[in-house]
Amino acid sequence: MTGFRRRDGELYADGVPLARIAAEVGTPCYVYVRSTIEGNWRQMSAAFGEYPHLICYSVKANSNLAVLSTLARLGSGFDIVSEGELERVLRAGGDPAKVVFSGVGKSRREITRALEVGIRCFDIESASELKRINALAARAGVVAPVSVRVNPDIDADTHPYIATGLRDSKFGIPLEQAIAAYRAAADMQNVSIFGVAAHIGSQITDMLPFTDALDRLLRLVEDLEEQRIPIEHVDIGGGLGIRYRDEQVPGAARYVAALIEGMRARGFDLPLLIEPGRAIVGNAGIMLTTVEYVKSNGDKNFAVVDAGMNDFVRPALYGAWHDIVPLLSDSVGQTRRYDVVGPVCESGDVLGKDRDLNVVEGDVLAIRNTGAYGWVLSSNYNSRPRPPEVMVDDDEFYLVRHRETIDELCAAESVLPE
Ligand code: LLP
């Protein structure tokens, strides 16, 4: 499912030609499609059927208020990692009772605010954090709901692409220390144990790591039950991958079915929480960029575009591959092999290497599947204002973040007194 389609050779976002957005808003700019975001969420939700669950969209993937409010209206929960993300969820109309708070470094201020608004659960990642939450909850006169985020140590040999669920990563509490953490929590006055949680990594294209991790969590739940520590939900985190190039991905239905199957296989019917980010918004966004210059060094052709690594960093940061296509399929030029590069003064500022494109200067290109970890990772490097964001809703489009101005760029700074 994707809301980006060609009609008579021209690329549209739902009912809106992308060329119109490029002309009215300018480039570079991000474009999201509301129906795709909703469709992705609904597909995942429907896959659960009657099984008790909560989808906690991972705000870090795309935190634009229009995206969050779209999901809040569907009844989504949210996975947050900072006070800023919490405030965004609240401003977008999200229900704090459906918010889970992950992250290894929650500050006192962040915890206090989350207690104040009454979130569903803190996923604690260390014994010290547990103590801090207990103390702050006591001060506020409340009881904090907690889960322990365990590090399930999914075998690197089997799943080398997984970073966060490995023993030596900074995330979570090792499985063998989890029971002690739960016991400590059970003895505290101002925390109540709610669940178990894990998050094993991102852009995972195979079900096995998820079902392995779930199985390890459920064994822990069994051990806890033996010790009379009841668990009320199982949170398996996010991580379901999407197709960027030719990856074979399980898809929402298979993913959810395998999780439910994993629960039932061990005789559980506890509510399942998932924290998808990329799988909800990844294919719902593209970035538009204009070819400023075309040049050749004799061996290589370069298409210099107006978006750089500050606007979209995944290719430079992770070597990620994103499809790059012209908005019009009948450009007057010739197909040549290009490196598509940005204006930033870094050799790493490459958006796509060795792309066969038929482009001339002035053409607009779409960089696909940039709805997740796109704008949120943008920066002002080279003092470049961050790009605008547009949401397409059927035949309409809305500017949901304007292009940063030079005044905004400098607004937080000051010169020294004379
Ligand atoms: N839950 C937790 C605790 C997480 O740390 C993450 C992502 C998610 C959920 C959502 O994962 P997703 O469903 O989106 O895979 N910047 C990288 C991805 C970093 C993911 C960090 N954690 C990228 O552009 O590929």
Side-chain angles (χ1 to χ4, degrees):
M1 180 191 338
T2 159
F4 299 99
R5 283 190 196 86
R6 278 195 197 277
R7 287 193 201 167
D8 297 329
E10 185 174 359
L11 198 59
Y12 275 64
D14 260 4
V16 183
L18 285 162
R20 207 173 103 208
I21 297 177
E24 286 183 31
V25 177
T27 60
C29 104
Y30 281 91
V31 182
Y32 313 127
V33 175
R34 177 179 183 172
S35 62
T36 305
I37 298 173
E38 290 179 339
N40 289 337
W41 192 94
R42 287 207 171 102
Q43 206 178 15
M44 215 165 244
S45 179
F48 278 100
E50 296 298 303
Y51 195 92
H53 68 279
L54 182 64
I55 301 176
C56 291
Y57 166 69
S58 191
V59 174
K60 65 176 79 68
N62 184 327
S63 57
N64 185 287
L65 292 178
V67 171
L68 300 184
S69 63
T70 295
L71 292 167
R73 286 174 200 169
L74 296 177
S76 187
F78 296 93
D79 157 54
I80 60 159
V81 291
S82 71
E83 184 190 5
E85 288 190 349
L86 176 57
E87 298 303 339
R88 281 177 177 276
V89 168
L90 297 175
R91 287 178 195 207
D95 179 358
K98 291 183 181 170
V99 167
V100 295
F101 193 170
S102 327
V104 288
K106 302 176 194 77
S107 70
R108 288 189 175 82
R109 183 190 150 118
E110 288 176 321
I111 293 166
T112 304
R113 180 67 178 140
L115 288 170
E116 191 177 288
V117 303
I119 64 164
R120 179 184 173 106
C121 194
F122 290 89
D123 288 351
I124 65 131
E125 303 212 19
S126 65
S128 305
E129 183 192 330
L130 182 61
K131 281 190 207 138
R132 178 180 278 189
I133 290 177
N134 185 51
L136 291 170
R139 196 181 299 166
V142 294
V143 174
V146 298
S147 291
V148 173
R149 174 169 170 185
V150 299
N151 182 333
D153 189 23
I154 296 294
D155 186 356
D157 289 343
T158 334
H159 313 297
Y161 45 87
I162 292 168
T164 56
L166 283 174
R167 200 181 162 71
D168 57 1
S169 94
K170 69 174 177 181
F171 298 101
I173 292 182
L175 257 178
E176 69 276 10
Q177 293 173 21
I179 298 264
Y182 278 103
R183 279 226 204 83
D187 288 341
M188 290 177 180
Q189 293 292 317
N190 290 85
V191 297
S192 73
I193 295 167
F194 211 62
V196 294
H199 169 77
I200 53 172
S202 203
Q203 185 52 19
I204 299 168
T205 54
D206 176 4
M207 275 315 297
L208 200 59
F210 291 116
T211 48
D212 273 3
L214 181 62
D215 215 51
R216 287 179 196 200
L217 286 188
L218 295 180
R219 272 184 268 161
L220 172 63
V221 175
E222 287 164 0
D223 292 347
L224 290 168
E225 282 179 346
E226 262 171 39
Q227 308 209 14
R228 298 188 191 291
I229 300 179
I231 292 298
E232 288 171 48
H233 75 214
V234 175
D235 179 348
I236 193 67
L240 179 62
I242 63 167
R243 185 177 193 139
Y244 285 105
R245 192 173 191 174
D246 48 14
E247 301 91 334
Q248 294 296 322
V249 290
R254 238 186 84 203
Y255 168 71
V256 170
L259 294 180
I260 293 176
E261 170 60 31
M263 295 291 283
R264 293 202 168 126
R266 282 196 169 264
F268 284 103
D269 56 5
L270 285 170
L272 252 176
L273 261 68
I274 55 172
E275 303 170 1
R278 194 188 313 265
I280 302 292
V281 291
N283 69 348
I286 53 120
M287 188 174 63
L288 297 178
T289 183
T290 302
V291 179
E292 295 274 22
Y293 305 103
V294 169
K295 66 177 190 175
S296 169
N297 66 6
D299 305 319
K300 220 177 204 339
N301 302 308
F302 295 96
V304 185
V305 296
D306 64 0
M309 63 191 287
N310 74 295
D311 301 297
F312 182 57
V313 79
R314 296 195 76 249
L317 192 58
Y318 309 115
W321 192 93
H322 285 259
D323 199 13
I324 303 178
V325 296
L327 292 196
L328 301 172
S329 49
D330 59 350
S331 174
V332 292
Q334 245 183 344
T335 297
R336 290 205 179 87
R337 184 153 293 186
Y338 291 98
D339 279 4
V340 180
V341 301
V344 170
C345 300
E346 297 266 350
S347 327
D349 185 24
V350 178
L351 295 168
K353 266 193 179 318
D354 296 326
R355 303 304 174 90
D356 292 331
L357 290 168
N358 178 353
V359 286
V360 294
E361 292 176 358
D363 280 357
V364 180
L365 302 175
I367 304 183
R368 305 199 67 155
N369 298 308
T370 54
Y373 307 109
W375 191 93
V376 287
L377 281 168
S378 67
S379 77
N380 291 121
Y381 187 41
N382 279 201
S383 286
R384 290 168 49 80
R386 285 171 297 173
E389 295 170 285
V390 165
M391 178 82 84
V392 171
D393 187 7
D394 206 0
D395 289 340
E396 309 279 340
F397 74 88
Y398 301 89
L399 187 63
V400 293
R401 183 182 175 102
H402 66 242
R403 185 180 308 284
E404 211 166 19
T405 63
I406 300 295
D407 282 342
E408 287 168 334
L409 196 67
C410 300
E413 299 171 27
S414 51
V415 296
L416 287 178
E418 291 287 332

